[in-house]
Amino acid sequence: MTPLVAAAVLLAAVTHASWNAIAHQITDKLVGFTLIAGGGTLIGLAMVPFVPFPAAGAWPYLIASAVIHVAYYVLLMRSFRLGDFGQAYPIARGTAPLVVTMLAAVFAHEVPDGWATAGIAVSCAGLTGVALWGLRGHRPNWAAIGAALATGLTIAAYTVVDGLGVRASGSSLGYIAWLMAVEGVAVPAYALYRWRGQLLGVLRPFAGVGLLGAALSVAAYGLVLWAQTKAELAPVAALRESSVKLCSCRNNFAGQGAV
């Protein structure tokens, strides 16, 4: 991984941590997800006319990623309902790079060298340490931990699928624009069904903060997608999770969850 790519991933990590902090200002998580996912769709649609259309080979990956992201949102919201996710969330993010390493070896034929493997192990161990620190003095919430592990599998799945898809697309900007346009529809559609005629009234108080979070989310993942065209998937995934250390440490001390 070159210094430029590493800097881009670290910038993505900081941006990811920033939109997580913004999301914490929205207490109703469905409201937060609706604004961030819906805002991402609007941003993606606004980008579409100005970016290259993804190559045909990228579309199976893009559609699969959109479906996996919906599963990710569902599992994440379930984890919030189960409670104590501030301790379980680092497990989700900590397991993802390990699974990415295995999936990338099988599907992308990428086997990290010794130094990269050590870096991935350190990153995952650090996140596990954050989780154990958060669990000190408390009985583990096994239901939340199980949901976190399932969430980690979806993170790993869309990471590898998007890594392969963006490489096949011919344009990281084109891929992120269409991915955001497609994947973000499901959560607002569910919110529209749940709140029916009250949707705008429910969202309006948080619209500004939610849309800012959406812009930061798109920027963060766009940087990661670009990095995946320049470096192996597993080291990018591990370095990206440095943002979760920032979020999780803050949230464990504050007694809150993470997005």
Side-chain angles (χ1 to χ4, degrees):
M1 186 184 302
T2 67
L4 177 61
V5 174
V9 179
L10 288 173
L11 178 58
V14 172
T15 308
H16 182 91
S18 299
W19 79 257
N20 266 270
I22 289 171
H24 280 297
Q25 300 178 37
I26 306 174
T27 54
D28 187 319
K29 298 309 175 188
L30 180 56
V31 170
F33 282 125
T34 299
L35 287 168
I36 289 171
T41 294
L42 294 176
I43 293 169
L45 291 173
M47 291 173 61
V48 160
F50 307 103
V51 297
F53 191 79
W59 279 94
Y61 297 107
L62 197 151
I63 298 300
S65 175
V67 173
I68 296 168
H69 271 88
V70 172
Y72 165 74
Y73 286 130
V74 170
L75 286 167
L76 201 52
M77 285 189 283
R78 174 171 171 76
S79 299
F80 276 117
R81 288 195 297 271
L82 289 171
D84 203 29
F85 196 56
Q87 285 74 48
Y89 187 69
I91 297 174
R93 288 290 179 176
T95 55
L98 291 177
V99 180
V100 168
T101 302
M102 293 184 287
L103 293 178
V106 173
F107 295 104
H109 308 292
E110 294 178 357
V111 179
D113 61 23
W115 283 109
T117 301
I120 294 165
V122 167
S123 176
C124 295
L127 285 168
T128 302
V130 169
L132 293 175
W133 177 264
L135 289 170
R136 71 197 189 285
H138 301 281
R139 176 178 294 181
N141 185 333
W142 294 112
I145 291 173
L149 289 171
T151 305
L153 292 177
T154 62
I155 294 168
Y158 75 62
T159 296
V160 173
V161 169
D162 283 335
L164 298 175
V166 72
R167 292 173 181 178
S169 71
S171 168
S172 54
L173 283 175
Y175 190 89
I176 187 66
W178 280 99
L179 178 63
M180 292 297 106
V182 173
E183 81 164 59
V185 173
V187 177
Y190 171 72
L192 180 63
Y193 167 78
R194 177 173 174 177
W195 291 316
R196 295 177 175 85
Q198 302 176 355
L199 180 64
L200 293 179
V202 172
L203 298 181
R204 188 176 293 112
F206 307 98
V209 121
L211 294 176
L212 175 58
L216 291 171
S217 175
V218 172
Y221 202 50
L223 285 168
V224 169
L225 288 177
W226 175 81
Q228 288 177 321
T229 67
K230 305 295 181 182
E232 293 185 349
L233 302 181
V236 170
L239 187 56
R240 180 196 179 204
E241 302 308 344
S242 58
S243 69
V244 182
K245 295 184 180 68
L246 298 175
C247 296
S248 298
C249 288
R250 177 180 63 81
N251 294 325
N252 281 329
F253 284 110
Q256 299 176 351
V259 177

